[in-house]
Amino acid sequence: MLIPSIDLLGGRIVQLMQGEKLRLAFDDFEYWIEKFSKYPLVQLIDLDAAMRQGDNSALVEQIAKRLPCQAGGGIRTIERARQLLDAGARRVIIGSALFSAEGTVNTDFAAEMAESVGAEHVVAGIDTKYGRIAVKGWKVQVELTPDEAIPQLEPYVAAFLYTHVDTEGTMQGFPIETAARLRKLTEQQLIVAGGIRSQTEVDALDALGADAVVGMAVYTEMLAV
C-alpha cells in the first residue's frame, strides 16, 4: 500500500532532505487534500512540533478531519494523543517519547498509551540514522537499534513506522534488505519511509509485507498518485 505523506513546517506543506534541507514547499492545501482523498491512509507529520520549535496544531486538526490520517510529530503526552484522535486522526505516531537518552525503551509509557487510547490507535515511530534510532526531530541519536526496540514495543502498538533518515527525501531508493529484516521482527503492520521513488519499489515492499510512505516522489510527480 502506498501512503502519501503531508509534512507541515511553518504553516506549509514541505519536503525536506534527510530532515534538514528544505527542498519543496506548498501552500495549496486544498489541491493536496483532494489528491490524497482517495487513499485509505495518509501520513500527517507536524515537523515544527517534532523539532520542538512550535507547532501546526490547528492545521493538523483541520486536515485530520478531512483525510484518514495517522498523525505524528511531537506527541509526548497521552493528552495530546487523545486530542488528535478526537480531532479525527485514525492513529497517532509516537516517536521520541518512546526512547530515553540512555538508550532504553520507555515501555511504561508505551503501555500507558496503549491502555489509555487503545493499542490499535498507536504507531511506534522508529527513525534511524546510520543504524541507530534518532529522536527529537532526528537531531539526536541514542544507543539503540530498531532490532532491539521493536520486540519491546510489539505488545503496545498496531504498527511500526520505520524511517530510514539516511535516504529520506533523496529519491535514491529504500534499502529493501532492511525492510525484509524488519518484517521478521514484528507481526504488526510494518510501514517504511525514506527515499522511495517508484511504483515498482512500492510493489516490491508490498511483496515483503511492508507498506510505503512516499513524499518527495509524489510531490515532484516522479510517482503518479
Side-chain angles (χ1 to χ4, degrees):
M1 176 171 68
L2 188 156
I3 303 171
S5 69
I6 297 176
D7 295 343
L8 300 174
L9 184 72
R12 298 185 296 171
I13 297 173
V14 302
Q15 285 292 288
L16 305 182
M17 179 181 286
Q18 297 174 324
E20 296 178 353
K21 186 182 296 183
L22 179 66
R23 292 289 303 274
L24 300 170
F26 303 92
D27 296 308
D28 191 349
F29 289 92
E30 287 300 320
Y31 174 82
W32 293 107
I33 289 171
E34 179 64 26
K35 203 169 184 67
F36 296 155
S37 62
K38 64 185 178 182
Y39 285 88
L41 188 64
V42 175
Q43 183 159 293
L44 178 60
I45 303 293
D46 186 341
L47 293 176
D48 285 307
M51 296 175 183
R52 304 177 186 226
Q53 59 187 29
D55 65 68
N56 299 276
S57 296
L59 263 178
V60 169
E61 291 173 17
Q62 288 169 24
I63 295 170
K65 285 181 171 69
R66 299 182 59 188
L67 291 173
C69 293
Q70 58 180 31
I75 301 175
R76 302 179 188 92
T77 65
I78 290 168
E79 180 184 12
R80 180 56 181 153
R82 282 195 183 123
Q83 285 174 349
L84 289 170
L85 292 168
D86 289 344
R90 304 287 178 86
R91 302 193 296 199
V92 289
I93 303 164
I94 314 296
S96 299
L98 293 175
F99 309 106
S100 74
E102 293 74 33
T104 61
V105 179
N106 192 348
T107 52
D108 289 343
F109 179 68
E112 188 180 0
M113 180 68 73
E115 184 176 349
S116 298
V117 306
E120 69 274 15
H121 298 301
V122 181
V123 178
I126 309 283
D127 308 328
T128 69
K129 273 185 173 180
Y130 310 115
R132 291 189 297 156
I133 289 175
V135 298
K136 298 182 180 179
W138 303 342
K139 305 293 187 190
V140 178
Q141 287 173 270
V142 297
E143 291 294 337
L144 194 64
T145 68
D147 305 64
E148 295 165 333
I150 287 174
Q152 296 182 61
L153 293 168
E154 177 87 0
Y156 311 114
V157 303
F160 289 94
L161 167 65
Y162 172 85
T163 300
H164 198 72
V165 180
D166 307 325
T167 53
E168 174 70 14
T170 66
M171 290 192 294
Q172 293 179 356
F174 183 91
I176 298 293
E177 67 282 359
T178 297
R181 189 186 82 247
L182 296 175
R183 179 68 279 175
K184 295 174 183 176
L185 295 175
T186 176
E187 294 182 1
Q188 310 292 13
Q189 181 185 16
L190 175 64
I191 305 167
V192 300
I196 298 166
R197 58 188 175 187
S198 69
Q199 187 61 49
T200 300
E201 197 172 358
V202 173
D203 293 342
L205 289 165
D206 185 69
L208 287 174
D211 295 316
V213 171
V214 185
M216 190 72 77
V218 166
Y219 290 100
T220 58
E221 299 184 344
M222 178 176 279
L223 197 159
V225 296

